[in-house]
Coordinates of all heavy atoms in Angstrom, one line a residue:
M614 N 48.0 -157.9 48.0 CA 48.5 -156.5 48.4 C 50.0 -156.7 48.5 O 50.5 -157.7 49.0 CB 48.0 -156.1 49.7 CG 46.6 -155.7 49.8 SD 46.1 -155.1 51.4 CE 45.7 -153.5 51.0
I615 N 50.7 -155.7 48.0 CA 52.2 -155.8 48.2 C 52.6 -154.5 48.9 O 52.2 -153.4 48.6 CB 52.9 -155.8 46.7 CG1 54.4 -155.9 46.9 CG2 52.5 -154.7 45.8 CD1 55.2 -156.4 45.6
K616 N 53.4 -154.7 49.9 CA 53.9 -153.6 50.8 C 55.4 -153.4 50.6 O 56.2 -154.2 50.3 CB 53.7 -154.0 52.3 CG 54.1 -152.9 53.3 CD 53.8 -153.4 54.7 CE 54.2 -152.2 55.6 NZ 54.0 -152.7 57.0
G617 N 55.7 -152.1 50.7 CA 57.1 -151.6 50.5 C 57.5 -151.0 49.2 O 58.6 -150.9 48.9
V618 N 56.4 -150.7 48.5 CA 56.7 -150.1 47.2 C 56.9 -148.7 47.2 O 56.1 -147.9 47.9 CB 55.4 -150.3 46.2 CG1 55.6 -149.6 44.9 CG2 55.1 -151.8 46.0
V619 N 58.0 -148.1 46.8 CA 58.4 -146.7 46.8 C 58.8 -146.0 45.6 O 59.1 -144.9 45.5 CB 59.5 -146.4 47.8 CG1 58.9 -146.8 49.3 CG2 60.7 -147.2 47.6
T620 N 58.7 -146.9 44.4 CA 59.0 -146.3 43.1 C 58.0 -146.7 42.1 O 57.2 -147.6 42.2 CB 60.4 -146.9 42.6 OG1 60.2 -148.3 42.4 CG2 61.5 -146.7 43.6
E621 N 58.0 -145.8 41.0 CA 57.1 -146.1 39.9 C 57.3 -147.4 39.2 O 56.3 -148.1 38.9 CB 57.1 -145.0 38.9 CG 56.2 -145.1 37.7 CD 56.2 -143.9 36.8 OE1 56.9 -142.9 37.0 OE2 55.3 -143.9 35.9
E622 N 58.6 -147.8 39.1 CA 58.9 -149.0 38.4 C 58.3 -150.2 39.2 O 57.8 -151.1 38.6 CB 60.4 -149.1 38.2 CG 61.1 -148.1 37.4 CD 61.3 -146.8 38.0 OE1 61.2 -146.6 39.3 OE2 61.7 -145.8 37.4
D623 N 58.6 -150.2 40.5 CA 57.9 -151.3 41.3 C 56.4 -151.4 41.3 O 55.8 -152.4 41.3 CB 58.4 -151.2 42.7 CG 59.9 -151.6 42.9 OD1 60.5 -152.2 42.0 OD2 60.5 -151.3 43.9
A624 N 55.8 -150.1 41.2 CA 54.3 -150.1 41.1 C 53.9 -150.7 39.7 O 52.9 -151.5 39.8 CB 53.8 -148.6 41.2
V625 N 54.5 -150.4 38.7 CA 54.2 -151.0 37.4 C 54.3 -152.5 37.5 O 53.4 -153.3 37.0 CB 55.1 -150.4 36.3 CG1 55.0 -151.2 34.9 CG2 54.8 -148.9 36.1
L626 N 55.4 -153.0 38.1 CA 55.6 -154.4 38.2 C 54.5 -155.1 39.1 O 54.0 -156.2 38.8 CB 57.0 -154.8 38.8 CG 58.1 -154.5 37.8 CD1 59.5 -154.6 38.7 CD2 58.1 -155.6 36.8
A627 N 54.1 -154.4 40.1 CA 53.1 -154.9 41.0 C 51.8 -155.1 40.2 O 51.1 -156.2 40.3 CB 52.8 -154.0 42.1
V628 N 51.4 -154.0 39.4 CA 50.2 -154.1 38.6 C 50.3 -155.4 37.5 O 49.4 -156.1 37.4 CB 50.0 -152.8 37.9 CG1 48.8 -152.9 36.9 CG2 49.6 -151.7 38.9
E629 N 51.5 -155.3 36.9 CA 51.7 -156.3 35.8 C 51.6 -157.8 36.3 O 51.2 -158.7 35.7 CB 53.0 -156.2 35.2 CG 53.1 -155.0 34.2 CD 54.4 -154.6 33.6 OE1 55.4 -155.4 34.0 OE2 54.5 -153.8 32.8
H630 N 52.0 -158.0 37.6 CA 52.0 -159.3 38.2 C 50.8 -159.6 39.0 O 50.6 -160.6 39.8 CB 53.2 -159.5 39.1 CG 54.5 -159.6 38.3 ND1 55.2 -158.6 37.7 CD2 55.2 -160.8 37.8 CE1 56.2 -159.1 37.1 NE2 56.3 -160.3 37.1
G631 N 49.8 -158.7 38.9 CA 48.4 -159.1 39.5 C 48.2 -158.7 40.9 O 47.3 -159.2 41.5
A632 N 48.9 -157.8 41.5 CA 48.6 -157.3 42.8 C 47.3 -156.7 42.9 O 46.9 -156.1 41.9 CB 49.7 -156.3 43.2
D633 N 46.6 -156.9 43.9 CA 45.3 -156.3 44.2 C 45.5 -154.9 44.7 O 44.4 -154.1 44.6 CB 44.4 -157.1 45.2 CG 44.2 -158.5 44.6 OD1 43.8 -158.6 43.4 OD2 44.1 -159.5 45.3
A634 N 46.4 -154.5 45.4 CA 46.8 -153.2 45.9 C 48.1 -153.0 46.2 O 48.9 -154.0 46.3 CB 45.8 -153.0 47.2
I635 N 48.5 -151.8 46.4 CA 49.9 -151.4 46.8 C 49.9 -150.7 48.1 O 49.0 -149.8 48.3 CB 50.5 -150.5 45.7 CG1 50.8 -151.3 44.5 CG2 51.8 -149.8 46.2 CD1 51.2 -150.5 43.3
I636 N 50.8 -151.0 48.9 CA 51.0 -150.2 50.2 C 52.3 -149.5 50.1 O 53.4 -150.1 50.1 CB 51.0 -151.1 51.4 CG1 49.7 -151.8 51.5 CG2 51.2 -150.3 52.7 CD1 49.6 -152.9 52.6
V637 N 52.3 -148.2 50.0 CA 53.5 -147.3 50.0 C 54.1 -147.3 51.4 O 53.4 -146.8 52.3 CB 53.3 -146.1 49.5 CG1 54.6 -145.1 49.4 CG2 52.6 -146.0 48.0
S638 N 55.3 -147.9 51.6 CA 55.8 -148.1 52.9 C 57.4 -148.1 52.8 O 57.9 -148.7 52.0 CB 55.4 -149.4 53.6 OG 56.0 -149.6 54.8
N639 N 58.0 -147.4 53.7 CA 59.5 -147.6 53.9 C 59.8 -148.4 55.2 O 60.8 -148.3 55.7 CB 60.1 -146.2 53.8 CG 59.8 -145.4 55.0 OD1 59.2 -145.8 56.0 ND2 60.2 -144.1 55.0
H640 N 58.8 -149.1 55.7 CA 59.0 -149.9 56.9 C 59.5 -149.1 58.0 O 60.3 -149.6 58.7 CB 59.8 -151.1 56.6 CG 59.3 -151.9 55.4 ND1 58.1 -152.6 55.4 CD2 59.7 -152.1 54.2 CE1 57.9 -153.2 54.3 NE2 58.8 -152.9 53.5
G641 N 59.0 -147.9 58.2 CA 59.5 -147.1 59.3 C 60.7 -146.4 59.1 O 61.3 -145.8 60.0
G642 N 61.3 -146.5 57.9 CA 62.6 -145.9 57.6 C 63.8 -146.5 58.5 O 64.8 -146.0 58.5
R643 N 63.5 -147.7 58.9 CA 64.6 -148.4 59.8 C 65.7 -149.0 58.9 O 66.7 -149.4 59.5 CB 64.0 -149.3 60.7 CG 63.1 -148.8 61.8 CD 62.5 -149.9 62.6 NE 61.6 -150.7 61.9 CZ 60.3 -150.5 61.8 NH1 59.7 -149.5 62.3 NH2 59.5 -151.4 61.2
N644 N 65.4 -149.2 57.6 CA 66.4 -150.0 56.8 C 67.6 -149.1 56.4 O 68.7 -149.6 56.2 CB 65.8 -150.5 55.5 CG 64.7 -151.5 55.9 OD1 64.8 -152.2 56.9 ND2 63.6 -151.5 55.1
E645 N 67.4 -147.8 56.1 CA 68.4 -146.9 55.6 C 68.3 -145.6 56.3 O 67.2 -145.1 56.5 CB 68.3 -146.8 54.1 CG 68.5 -148.0 53.4 CD 68.4 -147.8 51.8 OE1 68.8 -146.7 51.4 OE2 68.0 -148.8 51.2
D646 N 69.3 -144.9 56.5 CA 69.3 -143.6 57.1 C 68.8 -142.5 56.1 O 68.3 -141.5 56.5 CB 70.8 -143.2 57.6 CG 71.2 -144.0 58.8 OD1 70.3 -144.4 59.5 OD2 72.4 -144.1 59.0
T647 N 69.0 -142.8 54.8 CA 68.6 -141.7 53.9 C 67.3 -142.1 53.0 O 67.1 -141.4 52.0 CB 69.8 -141.6 52.9 OG1 70.0 -142.8 52.3 CG2 71.1 -141.1 53.6
L648 N 66.6 -143.0 53.6 CA 65.3 -143.4 52.9 C 64.3 -142.2 52.9 O 64.2 -141.5 53.9 CB 64.7 -144.6 53.5 CG 63.8 -145.5 52.7 CD1 64.6 -146.0 51.4 CD2 63.4 -146.7 53.5
R649 N 63.7 -141.9 51.7 CA 62.7 -140.8 51.7 C 61.5 -141.1 52.3 O 61.1 -142.3 52.4 CB 62.6 -140.3 50.2 CG 62.0 -141.4 49.3 CD 61.8 -140.8 47.9 NE 61.5 -141.8 47.0 CZ 61.0 -141.6 45.8 NH1 60.9 -140.4 45.4 NH2 60.7 -142.6 45.0
A650 N 60.7 -140.2 52.7 CA 59.4 -140.3 53.3 C 58.5 -140.9 52.4 O 58.4 -140.7 51.2 CB 58.9 -139.0 53.8
T651 N 57.5 -141.7 53.0 CA 56.5 -142.3 52.2 C 55.7 -141.3 51.4 O 55.3 -141.7 50.1 CB 55.6 -143.3 53.0 OG1 55.0 -142.4 54.0 CG2 56.3 -144.4 53.6
V652 N 55.3 -140.3 51.9 CA 54.5 -139.3 51.3 C 55.2 -138.7 50.1 O 54.6 -138.3 49.1 CB 54.1 -138.1 52.2 CG1 55.1 -137.2 52.7 CG2 52.8 -137.4 51.6
D653 N 56.6 -138.6 50.1 CA 57.4 -138.1 49.0 C 57.3 -139.2 47.9 O 57.6 -138.8 46.7 CB 58.8 -137.8 49.4 CG 58.9 -136.7 50.4 OD1 58.0 -135.7 50.4 OD2 59.9 -136.6 51.1
S654 N 57.2 -140.5 48.2 CA 57.2 -141.5 47.2 C 55.8 -141.7 46.6 O 55.7 -142.2 45.5 CB 57.6 -142.9 47.8 OG 59.0 -142.7 48.3
L655 N 54.8 -141.2 47.2 CA 53.4 -141.4 46.8 C 53.1 -141.0 45.4 O 52.5 -141.8 44.7 CB 52.5 -140.7 47.8 CG 51.0 -140.9 47.7 CD1 50.6 -142.5 47.6 CD2 50.2 -140.2 48.7
P656 N 53.3 -139.8 45.0 CA 52.9 -139.4 43.6 C 53.5 -140.4 42.5 O 52.9 -140.7 41.6 CB 53.5 -138.0 43.4 CG 53.6 -137.5 44.8 CD 53.9 -138.7 45.6
E657 N 54.8 -140.8 42.7 CA 55.5 -141.7 41.8 C 54.8 -143.0 41.7 O 54.5 -143.6 40.6 CB 56.9 -141.7 42.2 CG 57.8 -142.7 41.4 CD 59.2 -142.7 41.8 OE1 59.7 -141.8 42.6 OE2 59.8 -143.7 41.4
V658 N 54.4 -143.6 42.9 CA 53.8 -144.8 43.0 C 52.4 -144.8 42.4 O 51.9 -145.7 41.6 CB 53.8 -145.4 44.5 CG1 53.0 -146.7 44.5 CG2 55.2 -145.5 44.9
V659 N 51.6 -143.7 42.7 CA 50.3 -143.6 42.2 C 50.4 -143.5 40.5 O 49.6 -144.1 39.9 CB 49.6 -142.3 42.7 CG1 48.4 -141.9 41.9 CG2 49.3 -142.5 44.1
A660 N 51.4 -142.8 40.1 CA 51.6 -142.8 38.6 C 51.8 -144.1 38.0 O 51.3 -144.5 37.0 CB 52.8 -141.8 38.2
G661 N 52.6 -145.0 38.7 CA 52.9 -146.3 38.2 C 51.7 -147.2 38.3 O 51.6 -148.2 37.6
A662 N 50.8 -147.0 39.2 CA 49.6 -147.8 39.4 C 48.6 -147.5 38.3 O 47.7 -148.4 38.0 CB 49.0 -147.7 40.8
R663 N 48.7 -146.3 37.8 CA 47.8 -145.9 36.7 C 46.3 -146.1 36.9 O 45.6 -146.4 36.0 CB 48.3 -146.6 35.4 CG 49.7 -146.3 35.0 CD 50.1 -146.8 33.7 NE 51.4 -146.4 33.2 CZ 52.5 -147.0 33.6 NH1 52.5 -148.1 34.3 NH2 53.6 -146.6 33.1
G664 N 45.9 -146.0 38.1 CA 44.5 -146.1 38.4 C 44.0 -147.5 38.4 O 42.7 -147.7 38.4
R665 N 44.8 -148.5 38.2 CA 44.4 -149.9 38.0 C 44.1 -150.6 39.3 O 43.3 -151.5 39.4 CB 45.2 -150.7 37.2 CG 45.2 -150.1 35.7 CD 46.2 -150.8 34.8 NE 46.0 -152.1 34.7 CZ 46.9 -153.0 34.1 NH1 48.0 -152.5 33.6 NH2 46.7 -154.3 34.1
I666 N 44.8 -150.2 40.4 CA 44.7 -150.8 41.7 C 44.8 -149.7 42.7 O 45.4 -148.6 42.5 CB 45.7 -151.9 41.9 CG1 47.1 -151.4 41.9 CG2 45.5 -153.1 41.1 CD1 48.2 -152.5 42.2
P667 N 44.2 -149.9 43.9 CA 44.2 -148.9 45.0 C 45.7 -148.8 45.5 O 46.5 -149.8 45.5 CB 43.4 -149.5 46.1 CG 42.7 -150.7 45.7 CD 43.4 -151.0 44.3
V668 N 46.1 -147.6 45.9 CA 47.4 -147.3 46.5 C 47.2 -146.8 48.0 O 46.5 -145.7 48.1 CB 48.1 -146.2 45.7 CG1 49.5 -145.9 46.4 CG2 48.4 -146.8 44.2
F669 N 47.7 -147.4 48.9 CA 47.6 -147.1 50.3 C 48.8 -146.5 50.8 O 49.9 -146.9 50.4 CB 47.1 -148.3 51.2 CG 45.8 -148.9 50.8 CD1 45.8 -150.1 50.0 CD2 44.6 -148.4 51.1 CE1 44.7 -150.7 49.6 CE2 43.4 -148.9 50.6 CZ 43.4 -150.1 49.9
L670 N 48.7 -145.6 51.8 CA 49.9 -145.0 52.3 C 50.1 -145.5 53.8 O 49.1 -145.4 54.6 CB 49.9 -143.5 52.4 CG 51.2 -142.7 52.9 CD1 52.3 -142.9 51.9 CD2 50.8 -141.3 53.0
D671 N 51.3 -146.1 54.1 CA 51.5 -146.7 55.4 C 52.1 -145.7 56.4 O 53.3 -145.7 56.4 CB 52.3 -148.0 55.2 CG 52.6 -148.7 56.5 OD1 51.6 -148.6 57.4 OD2 53.6 -149.4 56.7
G672 N 51.3 -145.0 57.0 CA 51.8 -144.1 58.1 C 52.8 -143.1 57.7 O 52.9 -142.6 56.5
G673 N 53.5 -142.6 58.6 CA 54.5 -141.3 58.3 C 53.8 -140.1 58.4 O 54.5 -139.0 58.2
L674 N 52.6 -140.0 58.8 CA 51.9 -138.7 58.8 C 51.6 -138.3 60.4 O 51.4 -139.3 61.2 CB 50.6 -138.8 58.1 CG 50.7 -139.3 56.7 CD1 49.2 -139.4 56.1 CD2 51.5 -138.4 55.8
R675 N 51.7 -137.1 60.7 CA 51.6 -136.7 62.1 C 50.4 -135.8 62.3 O 50.0 -135.6 63.5 CB 52.9 -135.9 62.4 CG 54.1 -136.7 62.4 CD 54.3 -137.7 63.5 NE 55.5 -138.4 63.5 CZ 55.6 -139.7 63.8 NH1 54.5 -140.3 64.0 NH2 56.8 -140.2 63.6
R676 N 49.9 -135.2 61.3 CA 48.7 -134.3 61.5 C 47.6 -134.6 60.5 O 47.8 -135.2 59.4 CB 49.2 -132.8 61.1 CG 50.3 -132.3 61.9 CD 50.6 -130.9 61.5 NE 51.9 -130.3 62.0 CZ 52.2 -130.1 63.2 NH1 51.4 -130.5 64.2 NH2 53.4 -129.6 63.6
G677 N 46.5 -134.2 60.9 CA 45.2 -134.4 60.0 C 45.3 -133.8 58.7 O 44.9 -134.4 57.7
T678 N 46.0 -132.7 58.6 CA 46.2 -132.0 57.2 C 47.0 -132.8 56.4 O 46.8 -132.8 55.1 CB 46.8 -130.6 57.5 OG1 48.0 -130.7 58.2 CG2 45.8 -129.6 58.2
E679 N 47.9 -133.5 56.9 CA 48.8 -134.4 56.1 C 48.0 -135.5 55.5 O 48.3 -136.0 54.3 CB 50.0 -134.9 56.9 CG 51.0 -133.9 57.3 CD 52.1 -134.3 58.2 OE1 51.8 -135.3 58.9 OE2 53.1 -133.7 58.3
V680 N 47.0 -136.0 56.2 CA 46.1 -137.0 55.6 C 45.4 -136.5 54.3 O 45.4 -137.1 53.3 CB 45.0 -137.5 56.6 CG1 44.0 -138.4 56.0 CG2 45.7 -138.2 57.8
F681 N 44.9 -135.3 54.4 CA 44.3 -134.6 53.2 C 45.2 -134.5 52.1 O 44.9 -134.6 50.9 CB 43.6 -133.3 53.6 CG 42.5 -133.6 54.5 CD1 42.4 -133.1 55.8 CD2 41.3 -134.2 54.1 CE1 41.3 -133.3 56.6 CE2 40.2 -134.4 54.9 CZ 40.2 -133.9 56.2
K682 N 46.4 -134.1 52.4 CA 47.5 -133.9 51.4 C 47.7 -135.2 50.7 O 47.9 -135.3 49.4 CB 48.8 -133.3 51.9 CG 48.7 -131.9 52.4 CD 49.9 -131.5 53.0 CE 49.8 -130.1 53.6 NZ 50.9 -129.6 54.4
A683 N 48.0 -136.3 51.5 CA 48.2 -137.7 50.9 C 47.0 -138.1 50.0 O 47.2 -138.6 48.9 CB 48.4 -138.6 52.0
L684 N 45.8 -137.8 50.4 CA 44.7 -138.2 49.6 C 44.6 -137.3 48.3 O 44.3 -137.9 47.2 CB 43.3 -137.9 50.4 CG 43.1 -138.9 51.5 CD1 41.9 -138.4 52.4 CD2 43.0 -140.3 51.1
A685 N 45.0 -136.0 48.5 CA 45.1 -135.2 47.2 C 46.2 -135.7 46.3 O 46.1 -135.5 45.0 CB 45.3 -133.7 47.6
L686 N 47.2 -136.3 46.8 CA 48.3 -136.8 46.0 C 48.0 -138.2 45.3 O 48.8 -138.7 44.6 CB 49.6 -136.9 46.8 CG 50.2 -135.7 47.2 CD1 51.4 -135.8 48.2 CD2 50.8 -134.9 46.0
G687 N 46.8 -138.7 45.7 CA 46.4 -139.9 45.0 C 46.2 -141.1 45.9 O 45.8 -142.2 45.4
A688 N 46.5 -141.1 47.2 CA 46.3 -142.2 48.0 C 44.8 -142.6 48.1 O 43.9 -141.7 48.2 CB 46.8 -141.9 49.4
T689 N 44.6 -143.9 48.1 CA 43.2 -144.4 48.3 C 42.8 -144.3 49.8 O 41.7 -143.9 50.0 CB 43.1 -145.9 47.9 OG1 43.6 -145.9 46.5 CG2 41.7 -146.4 47.9
A690 N 43.7 -144.6 50.7 CA 43.5 -144.5 52.1 C 44.8 -144.4 52.8 O 45.9 -144.7 52.2 CB 42.7 -145.8 52.5
I691 N 44.8 -144.1 54.1 CA 46.0 -143.9 54.8 C 46.0 -144.8 56.0 O 45.0 -144.9 56.7 CB 46.1 -142.4 55.4 CG1 45.7 -141.4 54.4 CG2 47.3 -142.1 56.0 CD1 46.5 -141.4 53.1
G692 N 47.1 -145.4 56.4 CA 47.3 -146.2 57.6 C 47.9 -145.3 58.7 O 48.9 -144.7 58.4
L693 N 47.2 -145.3 59.8 CA 47.8 -144.6 61.0 C 48.2 -145.6 62.0 O 47.3 -146.0 62.9 CB 46.7 -143.6 61.6 CG 46.3 -142.5 60.6 CD1 45.1 -141.7 61.2 CD2 47.4 -141.5 60.3
G694 N 49.4 -146.0 62.0 CA 49.9 -146.9 63.0 C 50.1 -146.4 64.4 O 50.0 -147.0 65.4
R695 N 50.6 -145.1 64.5 CA 50.8 -144.5 65.8 C 50.2 -143.2 65.9 O 50.7 -142.1 65.7 CB 52.3 -144.3 66.0 CG 53.0 -145.6 66.3 CD 54.5 -145.3 66.7 NE 55.2 -145.2 65.4 CZ 56.4 -144.9 65.3 NH1 57.1 -144.5 66.3 NH2 57.0 -144.9 64.1
P696 N 48.9 -143.1 66.2 CA 48.2 -141.9 66.3 C 48.8 -141.1 67.4 O 49.4 -141.7 68.4 CB 46.8 -142.2 66.7 CG 46.8 -143.7 66.9 CD 48.0 -144.3 66.5
Q697 N 48.8 -139.8 67.4 CA 49.4 -138.9 68.2 C 48.4 -138.2 69.1 O 48.1 -137.0 69.0 CB 50.2 -137.9 67.5 CG 51.3 -138.4 66.5 CD 52.3 -139.2 67.2 OE1 52.8 -138.7 68.2 NE2 52.7 -140.2 66.6
P698 N 47.9 -138.8 70.2 CA 46.9 -138.2 71.0 C 47.3 -136.9 71.7 O 46.6 -136.1 71.9 CB 46.6 -139.3 72.0 CG 47.7 -140.3 72.1 CD 48.3 -140.1 70.7
G699 N 48.7 -136.9 72.0 CA 49.1 -135.6 72.5 C 48.8 -134.4 71.6 O 48.4 -133.3 72.1
D700 N 49.1 -134.6 70.3 CA 48.7 -133.5 69.4 C 47.2 -133.2 69.3 O 46.8 -132.0 69.3 CB 49.1 -133.8 68.0 CG 50.7 -133.9 67.9 OD1 51.3 -133.3 68.8 OD2 51.2 -134.4 66.9
W701 N 46.4 -134.2 69.4 CA 44.9 -134.0 69.4 C 44.5 -133.3 70.7 O 43.6 -132.5 70.5 CB 44.3 -135.3 69.3 CG 44.5 -136.1 68.0 CD1 45.1 -135.6 66.9 CD2 44.3 -137.5 67.8 NE1 45.2 -136.6 65.9 CE2 44.8 -137.8 66.5 CE3 44.0 -138.5 68.6 CZ2 44.8 -139.1 66.0 CZ3 43.9 -139.8 68.0 CH2 44.2 -140.0 66.8
R702 N 45.0 -133.6 71.8 CA 44.6 -133.0 73.1 C 45.0 -131.5 73.0 O 44.2 -130.7 73.5 CB 45.3 -133.6 74.3 CG 44.7 -134.8 74.8 CD 45.2 -135.2 76.1 NE 46.7 -135.3 76.1 CZ 47.5 -136.3 76.1 NH1 46.8 -137.5 76.3 NH2 48.7 -136.3 76.2
H703 N 46.1 -131.1 72.4 CA 46.4 -129.8 72.4 C 45.5 -128.9 71.6 O 45.1 -127.8 72.0 CB 47.8 -129.7 71.6 CG 48.3 -128.3 71.4 ND1 48.5 -127.4 72.5 CD2 48.5 -127.5 70.3 CE1 48.9 -126.2 72.0 NE2 48.8 -126.3 70.7
S704 N 44.9 -129.4 70.5 CA 44.0 -128.6 69.6 C 42.6 -129.1 69.6 O 41.8 -128.6 68.9 CB 44.5 -128.5 68.2 OG 44.5 -129.9 67.7
A705 N 42.3 -130.1 70.5 CA 41.0 -130.8 70.5 C 40.0 -130.0 71.2 O 40.3 -129.0 72.0 CB 41.1 -132.2 71.1
A706 N 38.7 -130.3 71.1 CA 37.7 -129.6 71.7 C 37.7 -129.9 73.3 O 38.4 -130.9 73.6 CB 36.3 -130.1 71.2
P707 N 37.2 -129.1 74.2 CA 37.4 -129.3 75.5 C 36.9 -130.7 76.0 O 37.4 -131.3 76.9 CB 36.6 -128.2 76.2 CG 36.5 -127.1 75.2 CD 36.6 -127.8 73.8
G708 N 35.9 -131.3 75.4 CA 35.4 -132.5 75.8 C 36.4 -133.7 75.6 O 36.3 -134.7 76.3
W709 N 37.4 -133.5 74.7 CA 38.4 -134.6 74.5 C 39.4 -134.6 75.6 O 40.0 -135.6 76.0 CB 39.1 -134.3 73.1 CG 40.2 -135.2 72.9 CD1 41.5 -135.0 73.0 CD2 40.1 -136.5 72.4 NE1 42.2 -136.0 72.8 CE2 41.5 -137.0 72.3 CE3 39.1 -137.4 71.9 CZ2 41.8 -138.3 71.8 CZ3 39.4 -138.6 71.4 CH2 40.7 -139.1 71.4
R710 N 39.7 -133.4 76.2 CA 40.8 -133.3 77.2 C 40.3 -133.9 78.5 O 39.1 -133.9 78.8 CB 41.1 -131.8 77.4 CG 41.7 -131.2 76.2 CD 42.0 -129.7 76.6 NE 42.3 -129.0 75.3 CZ 41.8 -127.9 75.0 NH1 40.8 -127.4 75.7 NH2 42.1 -127.3 73.8
R711 N 41.2 -134.4 79.3 CA 40.9 -135.0 80.6 C 40.8 -133.9 81.7 O 41.5 -132.9 81.7 CB 42.0 -136.0 81.0 CG 42.0 -137.2 80.2 CD 42.9 -138.2 80.7 NE 42.8 -139.4 79.9 CZ 43.6 -140.3 80.1 NH1 44.5 -140.4 81.0 NH2 43.4 -141.4 79.3

């Protein structure tokens, strides 16, 4: 697996060099102030992988609907590093709330 891929060119190189999977990640956006969101990079990386290896999205999502959008854009699976339980409590069934 190779993590930190955000361009089609890097995805193509990952496939050519035998990567088993790609993780689309901007490492929390801490490297640059103007780095684009991982979900914005996803379609380009999926195109570069050309269906030959799985493409995972490393976080950056805040709502369940964003997970479905990422899957629709071609992600194989999504990593949720910081789930937002406050958001879930707001709209969750009464049994979830304390």
Side-chain angles (χ1 to χ4, degrees):
M614 294 182 117
I615 183 166
K616 182 178 180 182
V618 176
V619 293
T620 66
E621 182 175 0
E622 295 82 9
D623 287 343
V625 169
L626 287 172
V628 170
E629 288 175 356
H630 286 82
D633 292 321
I635 292 172
I636 302 173
V637 179
S638 175
N639 63 12
H640 306 292
R643 293 182 294 270
N644 297 329
E645 297 180 29
D646 292 336
T647 59
L648 205 55
R649 65 183 168 163
T651 54
V652 73
D653 293 336
S654 301
L655 182 59
E657 180 179 337
V658 174
V659 168
R663 296 183 175 93
R665 294 178 55 195
I666 59 176
V668 177
F669 301 101
L670 185 68
D671 183 28
L674 307 177
R675 299 285 185 223
R676 303 181 193 296
T678 54
E679 292 174 334
V680 172
F681 291 113
K682 289 176 186 176
L684 293 172
L686 290 171
T689 305
I691 314 302
L693 296 174
R695 281 186 278 174
Q697 304 296 321
D700 291 345
W701 297 340
R702 279 194 308 252
H703 175 63
S704 61
W709 175 264
R710 298 183 190 122
R711 289 186 180 177

